[in-house]
Structures are given as structure tokens and as C-alpha cells.
Amino acid sequence: MVKSTIIARVVDGLPLAASMDDEQAESELAEYKSQAKAIFKKLNLQSEPMCSIDSGPYYLHYLLDQGVCYLCICDKSLPRKLAFSYLDELSKEFYMSYGSEIEQSNLRPYAFIKFDTFIQKTKRIYEDSRTQQNMTKLNEDLRDVTQIMTKNMEDLLWRGDSLDRMSTLSYQLRGESEKYRKATRRLNLEALYRKYGIPTAIILGFILVIYLRYKLF
């Protein structure tokens, strides 16, 4: 279930819109909304375009699009495909409604709070991942969520982990390098087998014949 949603400008972290949550949700999610603000401060235009951040009982999923960050706080039971499908719907509608105003320097915080009407309507659609409509979304969405970076909130806040693409690229390059080393080792072994395998087998066979001949006779 989507618990809360915040939309912010990437270049300066200015909150543009958010879901209007009830008092209980505000109390329960206060810590995680503070974490969301910390995430906005870490973002820039070179940051990963999609990311899932593990924080206690929740995931904070975000999507960057056209200089805007769309972030939702979700129960961990909500499939990631649905979470990013939800954010994708918000991004399309928000940009269509306010795209020409996003970069204005004189914007006040939550200048587009009226967008909450669309947020609430869309959130209700995604409340139960088992509904037929959401099952269809899960099956039709071609997004490979396994490629979306996952971070731990503690690492981000206290250990200085980065959300930049370069940090992920470095990780991917290390993985590719390891794959290359394994493939090279395998190819070398195959080459050695092709070069020496048959002669070695013949020699071993000949030795075995000599040994059996002297053993038996």
C-alpha cells in the first residue's frame, strides 16, 4: 500500500506537491518523511533515475523525470512494479499539468498542492495489489525492476553512500570485470584441453595398457 507521496524539484529539493495525509499517518510517517527530505538533498541531475531505499517497515521508491523527483513511502508488501507504475502515472499527469511552471525561480513550497486530488485518486487504484486491474498492470509492465538500484537508508544517511549513476556504474563495472575474469579462466582451460587433452589421454591410455600388461603377465 502507498502510504504517502512527495514531489520535489531535483535541482534544489523544493517540495512542489504532496499527498494530504491524516493525523495518524503524519505521526507514523514523520521519521520517514524526514528521510525523504534528506534524499531530496542528495539528488542531482546525475542521480539514478529510479531507486528503492529500504527503511525499516517501508520502502521509499523514487522516480526522476524532467527534473522532478516523485517519491512514495510504501509498505514492503507492495510489489515494486506497482510502486514504479504508480510513480510513472503521477509523473505523466504532473508534467502535463505543471511542466511549464516547474523551473520558475519564484515558486513557493508546495505550489502545486492541488495535485493531491490526482494523487489520492491514483493511490486508491493501487491500494490492493491483488485487484484485477493491478494484476494486469503487473503482467503488462515490461519494466525490469531487478535493474533498479536498491539502497539502505542507514548507508545513505550515515555512511555517505551516493545516489549518482557513477556509483552504480562503478558497481556494475566491478561485476562485469568479475564475469570477464571467470569467462577468461574458462576459455583458457578449454584451450588447454583442446591443445593437450587428446595427447594426454593417449599417453595415459598407453601407460595404462603397459601397466595392465605387466600386471597380468
Side-chain angles (χ1 to χ4, degrees):
M1 180 178 179
V2 176
K3 307 293 285 187
S4 187
T5 306
I6 308 172
I7 300 172
R9 196 161 58 187
V10 173
V11 292
D12 55 7
L14 179 75
L16 302 174
S19 56
M20 301 291 287
D21 304 322
D22 59 36
E23 289 185 13
Q24 182 180 352
E26 282 289 346
S27 176
E28 291 176 352
L29 300 174
E31 176 186 353
Y32 305 99
K33 289 188 178 185
S34 295
Q35 292 175 357
K37 291 176 183 177
I39 291 169
F40 294 145
K41 290 179 181 178
K42 285 181 169 286
L43 292 173
N44 57 58
L45 296 177
Q46 282 71 51
S47 295
E48 276 293 322
M50 291 185 287
C51 183
S52 297
I53 301 163
D54 188 342
S55 182
Y58 303 115
Y59 273 122
L60 281 70
H61 303 289
Y62 79 68
L63 167 71
L64 303 186
D65 186 49
Q66 305 284 353
V68 178
C69 177
Y70 302 86
L71 182 146
C72 63
I73 303 170
C74 302
D75 290 322
K76 287 186 173 179
S77 59
L78 183 73
R80 284 212 291 172
K81 271 193 176 183
L82 281 185
F84 282 100
S85 179
Y86 165 75
L87 293 175
D88 187 55
E89 285 197 40
L90 295 189
S91 70
K92 289 173 181 174
E93 182 66 22
F94 188 83
Y95 194 77
M96 188 169 64
S97 301
Y98 306 111
S100 60
E101 304 173 59
I102 290 169
E103 296 182 6
Q104 291 179 6
S105 59
N106 60 346
L107 280 181
R108 290 179 172 274
Y110 303 102
F112 310 117
I113 197 63
K114 292 187 293 184
F115 191 67
D116 174 61
T117 303
F118 184 81
I119 292 176
Q120 298 296 344
K121 182 177 72 174
T122 310
K123 190 164 75 169
R124 283 193 291 273
I125 296 172
Y126 285 83
E127 279 184 349
D128 188 352
S129 62
R130 295 166 298 181
T131 63
Q132 183 59 47
Q133 185 175 359
N134 286 336
M135 290 299 291
T136 302
K137 287 179 185 292
L138 281 172
N139 293 329
E140 291 181 350
D141 191 347
L142 300 180
R143 187 181 290 110
D144 184 4
V145 295
T146 62
Q147 299 301 312
I148 296 174
M149 182 171 71
T150 301
K151 287 278 188 178
N152 182 277
M153 182 60 72
E154 183 179 326
D155 292 339
L156 282 176
L157 296 184
W158 308 116
R159 299 178 189 169
D161 265 19
S162 171
L163 289 168
D164 289 358
R165 281 194 188 94
M166 290 305 295
S167 64
T168 303
L169 180 60
S170 175
Y171 176 81
Q172 290 174 342
L173 287 174
R174 285 197 298 271
E176 291 299 322
S177 177
E178 182 62 28
K179 288 180 183 176
Y180 175 77
R181 281 197 295 271
K182 289 180 179 178
T184 302
R185 194 157 48 240
R186 178 174 54 80
L187 289 172
N188 287 337
L189 288 172
E190 289 177 358
L192 286 172
Y193 176 76
R194 285 195 297 270
K195 187 173 182 180
Y196 301 111
I198 294 176
T200 301
I202 292 172
I203 292 170
L204 289 174
F206 180 74
I207 292 171
L208 180 62
V209 169
I210 298 296
Y211 172 79
L212 291 174
R213 181 175 178 181
Y214 282 99
K215 187 77 173 175
L216 295 175
F217 301 102

